[in-house]
Amino acid sequence: QVHLAESGGGSVQAGESLRLSCVASGHTKSNVCMGWFRQAPGKEREAVGSIDGDGRPSVVDSVEDRFAVSKDSAKNTLYLLMSSLKPDDTAMYYCAANPDLICPYGGSWVARDYEYWGQGTQVTVSS
C-alpha cells in the first residue's frame, strides 16, 4: 500500500509560480514511477508530467516551457514546479504512483498505469 499526500496548492495571480509537493509513504522501493495529473471542473483528468524510476522527468508539450517535475528520493517527495501560471491551469492537481510499473523513459502519462493516487491539491489562478 502506498500513501500519497499532495500539498502546495493555493490561489495565485496569473504569472506567478507555485511548487507542489507529493510525499510518498508505505513502500520500500526508491525507483518508483510517479506522475502528476490535473482535472479542471467539467473536464477529464489529464497528464501534466511524470518521472521514471531512474529520476528522469518529462512534462507534456502544453506546459513544457513552464512546468518541471523533479524528485527528492531521500525525502520520498515528488515536486511539480509551475511558473508563469495561467487561468487555464486552474484545476485539482493529483500525484500518482505505481511501484510495480515497468516505467518507460521519463515516466508514464497514462492515468491507468498508476495504482495509487493522492487526494489532490487545488490550484486556482486568477487573471
Side-chain angles (χ1 to χ4, degrees):
Q1 186 76 16
V2 178
H3 179 69
L4 302 172
E6 303 97 334
S7 63
S11 297
V12 298
Q13 297 288 320
E16 295 184 341
S17 299
L18 279 175
R19 189 181 74 164
L20 306 185
S21 300
C22 172
V23 179
S25 60
H27 65 87
T28 58
K29 292 184 178 181
S30 60
N31 55 340
V32 177
C33 195
M34 300 183 73
W36 284 105
F37 293 78
R38 66 184 181 185
Q39 187 167 19
K43 295 186 178 181
E44 293 188 356
R45 187 171 296 189
E46 63 177 2
V48 177
S50 60
I51 196 162
D52 65 23
D54 292 320
R56 294 171 296 207
S58 65
V59 292
V60 300
D61 292 349
S62 61
V63 299
E64 66 175 347
D65 57 339
R66 300 185 296 118
F67 290 11
V69 176
S70 63
K71 185 179 179 183
D72 185 335
S73 294
K75 296 181 179 180
N76 285 330
T77 301
L78 180 71
Y79 299 102
L80 178 66
L81 178 61
M82 305 184 293
S83 59
S84 301
L85 283 162
K86 304 175 181 179
D88 285 348
D89 296 318
T90 295
M92 185 72 80
Y93 284 72
Y94 300 90
C95 71
N98 189 343
D100 298 322
L101 179 66
I102 299 175
C103 199
Y105 186 100
S108 171
W109 297 349
V110 179
R112 64 176 179 272
D113 282 346
Y114 294 97
E115 183 175 2
Y116 300 99
W117 293 80
Q119 294 295 315
T121 185
Q122 178 67 39
V123 172
T124 302
V125 184
S126 55
S127 58

